[in-house]
Amino acid sequence: MREVAIVAAGMTHFGELWGASLRDLFVEAAQGALTAAGTDHLDAIYVGNMSAGQFVGQEHLGPLMADHLGMAGVPSVRVESACASGGVALRTAFLEVASGASDLVLAAGVEKMNDGADVTAILATASDQETEVYHGATFPGLYALIARAHMAAHGTTEEDLAWVSVKNHRHGALNERAQFQRELTTDQVLSSALVSEPLRLLHCSPVSDGAAAVLVCPLDQASKYTDHPVVIRGTAMATASLALTDRRDMAFLDSVAASGARAYEMAGIGPEQVDVAEVHDCFSIAEICCIEALGFAPLGEGRHCARTGETALGGRIPVNTSGGLKSKGHPVGATGIAQAVELFEQLTGASGDRQVHGAEFGLAQNMGGTGASSVVHIFQAV
Amino acid sequence: MPSPRYWREIPSRYRLEATRCGDCGRVSYPPRRICPECRSTDGETIELSHEGRVLTYTVVHVPPDDFLMEAPYALAVVETPEGARMMVQVADCDPASVEAGMMVALEFRLIRREGKGGILCYGYKAVPAYPMGGEAEAELRSKESEVAHA
Ligand SMILES: [Zn+2]
């Protein structure tokens, strides 16, 4: 396989963007990446998107987005793995370039969630329709069940969960593209409205519109586009049952652990060598489960990390310096690519007030559903 | 949900049919053709007991549109004596009274009115295994916690 690098990134603001359509969002992010690389040529496009068909009634995004980018004729396909669609689009682009089939590929993600659809019902289609949704399960409801299982197994408290939101909002307050650029207190989190016990509104990522894009090419061609490429050292995906009831342990995300282990092996590093990470904090409990499954904290100890500052900027392993899904926003199909954008900037020293100084290795973990799919990428500054 | 799908799912939903693996013994609900544990295709169809124990639970305050009239409702993962796990609502009690370890009976109920057509969809809900309140409940609960801590 050829070595593959990210050479450029583009991203929209994340938020309730009522004035922007699905295609507007994609074009803004993709054109940002093309402009940064100084190119108007692409060999292929992958569009990560969870559910434009349900959110805005539009399928067949591959050719639609290629056409609106002024690239009609270029092979272009939509990639779907629920909220992990973006991460899987990046992995697909990596494989196409690593194989030698293409030299310059755009990996993008886009979601337009604020357009009047029943967002709760649409997101729930990423979980098992026959055994979970039929009985009234919602996405926050399923993560609430995971939270209760984690509380029972490891003593995790509602305050531990609140600290994850507080920490990520501190980071997001420094990110000009974030949906919520403001800090929170634990009191505000713990007094916000109940969504599904024990999860409250401020434990949950918001409903967002947005897009993100990165350009990948062989490392030995990267100098055509940038002086500061970031190499993709590891990429891995794993799956688990859609239904929580079929899991070995509801408090542990097997797919996250498996995708992490495979990515570490491919990159030839371990969790202790990672300098900065973006993990899938769709709900505060998810960040705790993910940092445990990825080896950033021992099992059962992840609950302390946000409060102690271990996972905050300046801490042992800063997690979600972008603000994470909670504060930056979570346009589901765009999230995996937005994580890569944050790490591309961190590893090229372009993160401003959020910069993790001297960062060499970055890890992005993006998951679909309640962790039925998880994809991990490990990046290295060169 | 289109009605052909609803009819197709009736055996497992109406009769609580599950598959027990002939090789490793794993019980899957609803039935599966291939055991998720060992990939055996040697499964027998069994009917689950109409009772179980709550493993974990939540109270849903923000429901999908089809369940707007129900909220807040308790949603739990229940394990039957055969080892099958299922997600069900816990009805006939204050949602705040649901807890892990609680014994429940599974009763055939209306689950939802589906979409604009309002198709009636049936299945099982859990209900407390004993009448709520009073000394009888207190006694049963203390016995249960003894068992749970044993
Ligand atoms: Zn088996």
Coordinates of all heavy atoms in Angstrom, one line a residue, chain A residues 26-58:
Chain A
F26 N -22.2 21.4 1.4 CA -21.1 20.5 0.8 C -20.2 21.4 -0.1 O -18.9 21.2 0.0 CB -21.8 19.4 -0.1 CG -20.7 18.6 -0.9 CD1 -20.1 17.6 -0.3 CD2 -20.4 19.0 -2.2 CE1 -19.1 16.9 -1.1 CE2 -19.4 18.3 -2.9 CZ -18.8 17.3 -2.3
V27 N -20.7 22.2 -0.9 CA -19.9 23.0 -1.9 C -19.0 23.9 -1.1 O -17.8 24.0 -1.4 CB -20.8 23.7 -2.9 CG1 -19.9 24.8 -3.6 CG2 -21.4 22.8 -3.8
E28 N -19.4 24.5 0.0 CA -18.6 25.4 0.7 C -17.4 24.7 1.3 O -16.3 25.2 1.2 CB -19.4 26.1 1.9 CG -18.6 27.1 2.7 CD -19.3 27.7 3.9 OE1 -20.6 27.7 3.8 OE2 -18.6 28.1 4.8
A29 N -17.7 23.5 1.9 CA -16.6 22.8 2.6 C -15.6 22.2 1.5 O -14.4 22.4 1.7 CB -17.1 21.7 3.4
A30 N -16.2 21.6 0.5 CA -15.3 21.0 -0.5 C -14.5 22.0 -1.3 O -13.3 21.8 -1.5 CB -16.2 20.2 -1.5
Q31 N -15.1 23.2 -1.6 CA -14.4 24.2 -2.3 C -13.3 24.8 -1.5 O -12.2 25.2 -1.9 CB -15.3 25.3 -2.8 CG -14.7 26.4 -3.6 CD -14.1 26.0 -4.9 OE1 -14.3 24.8 -5.4 NE2 -13.3 26.8 -5.6
G32 N -13.5 24.8 -0.1 CA -12.5 25.3 0.8 C -11.2 24.4 0.7 O -10.1 24.9 0.7
A33 N -11.5 23.1 0.7 CA -10.3 22.2 0.6 C -9.6 22.3 -0.7 O -8.4 22.3 -0.8 CB -10.8 20.8 0.8
L34 N -10.4 22.4 -1.8 CA -9.8 22.5 -3.2 C -8.9 23.8 -3.3 O -7.8 23.8 -3.8 CB -10.9 22.5 -4.2 CG -11.5 21.1 -4.4 CD1 -12.8 21.3 -5.3 CD2 -10.6 20.1 -5.1
T35 N -9.5 24.9 -2.7 CA -8.8 26.2 -2.8 C -7.5 26.1 -2.0 O -6.5 26.6 -2.5 CB -9.7 27.3 -2.3 OG1 -10.9 27.3 -3.0 CG2 -9.1 28.7 -2.4
A36 N -7.6 25.5 -0.8 CA -6.4 25.4 0.0 C -5.3 24.7 -0.7 O -4.1 25.0 -0.5 CB -6.7 24.8 1.4
A37 N -5.7 23.6 -1.5 CA -4.7 22.8 -2.2 C -4.3 23.4 -3.5 O -3.3 23.0 -4.1 CB -5.2 21.4 -2.4
G38 N -5.0 24.4 -3.9 CA -4.7 25.0 -5.2 C -4.9 24.1 -6.4 O -4.1 24.1 -7.3
T39 N -6.0 23.3 -6.3 CA -6.3 22.4 -7.4 C -7.7 22.5 -7.9 O -8.6 22.9 -7.1 CB -6.0 21.0 -7.0 OG1 -6.2 20.1 -8.1 CG2 -6.8 20.5 -5.8
D40 N -8.0 22.2 -9.1 CA -9.4 22.1 -9.6 C -9.6 20.7 -10.3 O -10.4 20.6 -11.2 CB -9.8 23.3 -10.5 CG -8.8 23.3 -11.7 OD1 -7.9 22.5 -11.9 OD2 -9.0 24.3 -12.5
H41 N -8.8 19.8 -9.8 CA -8.9 18.4 -10.4 C -9.2 17.4 -9.2 O -8.6 17.6 -8.2 CB -7.6 18.1 -11.1 CG -7.5 16.6 -11.3 ND1 -8.0 16.0 -12.4 CD2 -6.8 15.6 -10.6 CE1 -7.7 14.7 -12.3 NE2 -7.0 14.4 -11.3
L42 N -10.0 16.4 -9.5 CA -10.2 15.3 -8.5 C -10.3 14.0 -9.3 O -10.9 14.0 -10.4 CB -11.5 15.5 -7.7 CG -11.5 16.6 -6.6 CD1 -12.9 16.7 -6.0 CD2 -10.5 16.2 -5.5
D43 N -9.8 12.9 -8.7 CA -10.0 11.6 -9.3 C -11.3 10.9 -8.8 O -11.8 10.1 -9.4 CB -8.8 10.7 -8.9 CG -7.5 11.1 -9.6 OD1 -7.6 11.7 -10.8 OD2 -6.4 11.0 -9.1
A44 N -11.7 11.3 -7.6 CA -12.9 10.7 -7.0 C -13.4 11.5 -5.8 O -12.6 12.2 -5.2 CB -12.6 9.2 -6.6
I45 N -14.7 11.3 -5.5 CA -15.3 12.0 -4.4 C -16.1 10.9 -3.5 O -16.8 10.1 -4.1 CB -16.3 13.0 -4.8 CG1 -15.6 14.1 -5.7 CG2 -17.0 13.7 -3.7 CD1 -16.5 15.1 -6.4
Y46 N -15.9 11.0 -2.2 CA -16.8 10.2 -1.3 C -17.5 11.2 -0.4 O -16.9 12.0 0.2 CB -15.9 9.2 -0.5 CG -15.4 8.1 -1.4 CD1 -14.1 8.1 -1.8 CD2 -16.2 7.0 -1.7 CE1 -13.6 7.1 -2.7 CE2 -15.8 6.0 -2.6 CZ -14.5 6.1 -3.0 OH -14.0 5.1 -3.9
V47 N -18.8 11.0 -0.4 CA -19.7 11.9 0.4 C -20.2 11.1 1.6 O -21.1 10.3 1.4 CB -20.8 12.4 -0.4 CG1 -21.7 13.4 0.4 CG2 -20.3 13.1 -1.7
G48 N -19.8 11.4 2.8 CA -20.3 10.8 4.0 C -21.6 11.5 4.3 O -21.7 12.7 4.5
N49 N -22.7 10.7 4.5 CA -24.0 11.3 4.8 C -24.9 10.2 5.4 O -25.0 9.1 4.9 CB -24.6 11.8 3.5 CG -26.1 12.3 3.7 OD1 -27.0 11.6 3.5 ND2 -26.2 13.5 4.2
M50 N -25.5 10.5 6.5 CA -26.3 9.5 7.2 C -27.7 9.4 6.5 O -28.1 8.3 6.2 CB -26.5 9.8 8.6 CG -27.5 8.8 9.3 SD -27.9 9.1 11.0 CE -29.5 8.1 11.1
S51 N -28.4 10.5 6.3 CA -29.8 10.3 6.0 C -30.4 11.5 5.3 O -31.5 11.9 5.6 CB -30.6 10.0 7.3 OG -31.7 9.3 6.9
A52 N -29.8 12.0 4.2 CA -30.4 13.1 3.5 C -31.8 12.6 2.9 O -32.7 13.5 2.8 CB -29.5 13.5 2.3
G53 N -31.9 11.4 2.7 CA -33.2 10.9 2.2 C -34.3 11.1 3.1 O -35.4 11.5 2.7
Q54 N -34.0 11.0 4.4 CA -35.1 11.3 5.4 C -35.1 12.7 5.8 O -36.2 13.3 6.1 CB -34.9 10.4 6.6 CG -35.1 8.9 6.4 CD -35.0 8.1 7.7 OE1 -35.9 7.9 8.4 NE2 -33.8 7.6 8.0
F55 N -33.9 13.3 6.0 CA -33.9 14.7 6.5 C -34.4 15.7 5.5 O -35.2 16.7 5.8 CB -32.5 15.1 6.9 CG -32.0 14.6 8.2 CD1 -30.8 13.8 8.2 CD2 -32.7 14.8 9.4 CE1 -30.4 13.2 9.4 CE2 -32.2 14.3 10.6 CZ -31.1 13.5 10.6
V56 N -34.0 15.6 4.2 CA -34.5 16.5 3.2 C -35.0 15.9 1.9 O -35.3 16.6 0.9 CB -33.3 17.5 2.8 CG1 -32.8 18.3 4.0 CG2 -32.1 16.8 2.2
G57 N -35.2 14.5 2.0 CA -35.8 13.9 0.8 C -34.9 13.8 -0.4 O -35.4 13.7 -1.5
Q58 N -33.6 13.8 -0.2 CA -32.7 13.7 -1.3 C -31.8 12.5 -1.2 O -31.0 12.4 -0.2 CB -31.8 15.0 -1.4 CG -30.8 15.0 -2.5 CD -31.5 15.1 -3.9 OE1 -32.2 16.1 -4.1 NE2 -31.3 14.1 -4.7

